[in-house]
Amino acid sequence: MNDEELSARLYRLLAEHFELDPAKVTPEARLYEDLGLDSIDAVDLALAVEDLTGCETTPNDFQNASTVADVETIIRKLVAAK
Amino acid sequence: MGAANFGKLTDTLAQGAARAAIPGRDATCEPAPGSLWRGGANVLCFIGFAVLAIFGTLVLLPAALVLPGNRSRRVRRLASLGFRILLVFIQSFSLGKIHIEGKENLARASGCLLIANHPSFVDSLVLFALLPEANCIMKAVLRHHPLFAPFVHAGGYISNASGPLETIAACRRAKENGETIIIFPEGSRTPADTMPRLHRGAAQIALRAGMDILPVTIHCDPPILTHDRPWYYMPSRRVEYVVSFHEPRQPRAFAPTDDLSPPHAARRLTRALQTWFEHQFDSMHTADIAPPSAPQSTFEATASLQPNRSS
């Protein structure tokens, strides 16, 4: 899975998982303020990313992510380290 | 730290008296108890609150912790007793009158997540007074408050600061102990004259800790001790404070969430609870505009605040 594919899947995952308008899921979108996620959603996100990438994640992995682009960066690192 | 806070209290006390004196001038032409009296009684209640808290912290709390047995339960009952004493003051000064509706649902509160709107600082006092052993999800800031911190720690209340998974695990443990967990799902006090706006945390907890929901609606008229008014603000008439305990129900009675993924279920349930609260306040508003004698008949007025021992 290349970077572009991974990003596309992540955007779709975010929109479907958290009932978001796909148009709002952009790299600059802030997870909490713009997309309305909460701290428990961050835990669910970690689980969903695990399913998506096959990499093991912990809720702490996404603790410092504030935008969608941050999540992409973290996922790329996880995939690269696999 | 307690003394520093008390100093601040006496500073604002002077301001409060000055503020209350201005409308007090008009009191000459109205026979009802004036604002000055209410302002003074309010200040007395705050001083009483501080004295109870300091005495409780320095004398009763250590005693409660030294004796064997279930310490956190004893601490909670102690805090509850303090709140009941305070509410007796408030009612005997005629500052406010507390009306309790749906008392029978209090007996069913064990193991439930109690969700309430939060118009006033008084809400926590009333709920803890009525549910002496209840747990509560507390803002992290209360763990550092000079007056409340010792009780918050010793009472073993649930903090929202240790991460969502730990909070949910703590709620599940409390539920298995048969405790009622109080949460204000708006995360803060409801701004005056607005509909409550629920955050998703309460729904997340109910679904993930498998708890029934006991909804509580609170109506405080005129509003006092709101987020945007100073503590010494006191309206010129008695506050009618109505707390209604509704029937506890499973989350699926509010919204069918069984087939949904956890994030979808929490969103669906939050929307359903939001609608439920809006409906309650819409019907309350209808009652408000009824003839003045009508609302009283809908209240199940109670002369004193008796906690339900079976809870």
Side-chain angles (χ1 to χ4, degrees):
Chain A
M1 194 167 16
N2 62 31
D3 276 1
E4 231 166 78
E5 226 172 60
L6 195 66
S7 295
R9 284 198 192 190
L10 171 69
Y11 288 17
R12 207 162 51 232
L13 177 152
L14 284 168
E16 282 172 7
H17 224 67
F18 301 116
E19 294 184 356
L20 302 170
D21 174 2
K24 282 192 179 160
V25 185
T26 59
E28 307 79 41
R30 291 167 302 171
L31 299 172
Y32 299 97
E33 296 87 343
D34 299 334
L35 303 183
L37 301 200
D38 61 31
S39 56
I40 298 178
D41 290 331
V43 176
D44 287 326
L45 177 62
L47 292 173
V49 165
E50 219 170 84
D51 289 341
L52 180 76
T53 60
C55 303
E56 259 190 52
T57 60
T58 67
N60 297 344
D61 289 338
F62 298 98
Q63 207 167 34
N64 297 322
S66 65
T67 64
V68 172
D70 294 342
V71 177
E72 288 184 67
T73 313
I74 294 163
I75 293 179
R76 282 199 196 111
K77 275 189 197 151
L78 282 169
V79 173
K82 190 161 74 167
Chain B
M1 273 162 80
N5 197 60
F6 203 68
K8 199 176 152 201
L9 190 77
T10 38
D11 280 353
T12 31
L13 186 151
Q15 294 168 19
R19 174 77 63 109
I22 300 161
R25 281 180 204 143
D26 305 331
T28 47
C29 53
E30 59 172 68
S35 301
L36 189 59
W37 152 249
R38 277 170 193 283
N42 181 40
V43 168
L44 273 179
C45 284
F46 267 91
I47 293 173
F49 187 35
V51 169
L52 276 174
I54 292 166
F55 177 70
T57 308
L58 297 181
V59 181
L60 301 177
L61 189 62
L65 290 173
V66 162
L67 293 169
N70 189 331
R71 295 189 174 86
S72 61
R73 177 177 292 184
R74 197 178 302 126
V75 169
R76 287 181 201 173
R77 296 197 75 97
L78 188 60
S80 175
L81 177 69
F83 293 147
R84 286 204 295 276
I85 294 173
L86 196 66
L87 292 176
V88 168
F89 280 173
I90 291 173
Q91 300 203 91
S92 51
F93 283 139
S94 258
L95 288 178
K97 178 96 183 85
I98 295 162
H99 308 268
I100 304 159
E101 288 183 339
K103 249 190 160 180
E104 67 281 3
N105 292 321
L106 264 175
R108 299 167 60 192
S110 171
C112 287
L113 185 69
L114 186 158
I115 62 169
N117 63 308
H118 197 4
S120 164
F121 175 74
V122 185
D123 309 335
S124 341
L125 274 63
V126 173
L127 291 177
F128 279 121
L130 289 167
L131 291 148
E133 289 178 12
N135 207 326
C136 177
I137 299 178
M138 291 206 179
K139 286 204 270 197
V141 58
L142 287 175
R143 303 185 89 76
H144 307 290
H145 189 283
L147 273 185
F148 304 142
F151 273 92
V152 170
H153 285 278
Y157 299 103
I158 299 169
S159 163
N160 70 353
S162 38
L165 295 178
E166 180 42 45
T167 304
I168 289 167
C171 290
R172 197 176 294 122
R173 286 194 295 273
K175 174 208 151 195
E176 281 159 10
N177 269 338
E179 295 171 22
T180 307
I181 302 179
I182 298 170
I183 185 170
F184 296 107
E186 295 162 83
S188 188
R189 273 171 279 178
T190 321
D193 305 320
T194 62
M195 270 301 170
R197 298 239 42 106
L198 275 57
H199 292 187
R200 269 198 307 276
Q204 300 274 26
I205 289 166
L207 291 167
R208 289 169 205 242
M211 302 181 78
D212 287 359
I213 295 171
L214 193 166
V216 171
T217 47
I218 298 171
H219 194 60
C220 181
D221 176 47
I224 46 149
L225 299 173
T226 60
H227 211 43
D228 44 8
R229 283 203 172 120
W231 65 271
Y232 47 79
Y233 166 80
M234 202 21 78
S236 57
R237 65 183 163 98
R238 189 178 78 170
V239 174
E240 301 300 328
Y241 186 95
V242 188
V243 51
S244 311
F245 295 88
H246 300 266
E247 194 188 346
R249 276 176 286 176
Q250 292 186 339
R252 65 162 71 89
F254 292 95
T257 54
D258 290 352
D259 302 330
L260 301 176
S261 70
H264 284 247
R267 284 162 170 78
R268 172 80 58 87
L269 180 57
T270 305
R271 283 197 295 270
L273 292 172
Q274 176 73 39
T275 310
W276 185 91
F277 270 98
E278 286 175 7
H279 179 75
Q280 296 300 315
F281 285 101
D282 278 344
S283 42
M284 213 174 238
H285 183 68
T286 320
D288 276 350
I289 53 176
S293 60
Q296 271 87 358
S297 62
T298 65
F299 300 151
E300 184 198 301
T302 41
S304 68
L305 196 68
Q306 283 298 318
N308 196 309
R309 295 281 166 188
S310 58
S311 62

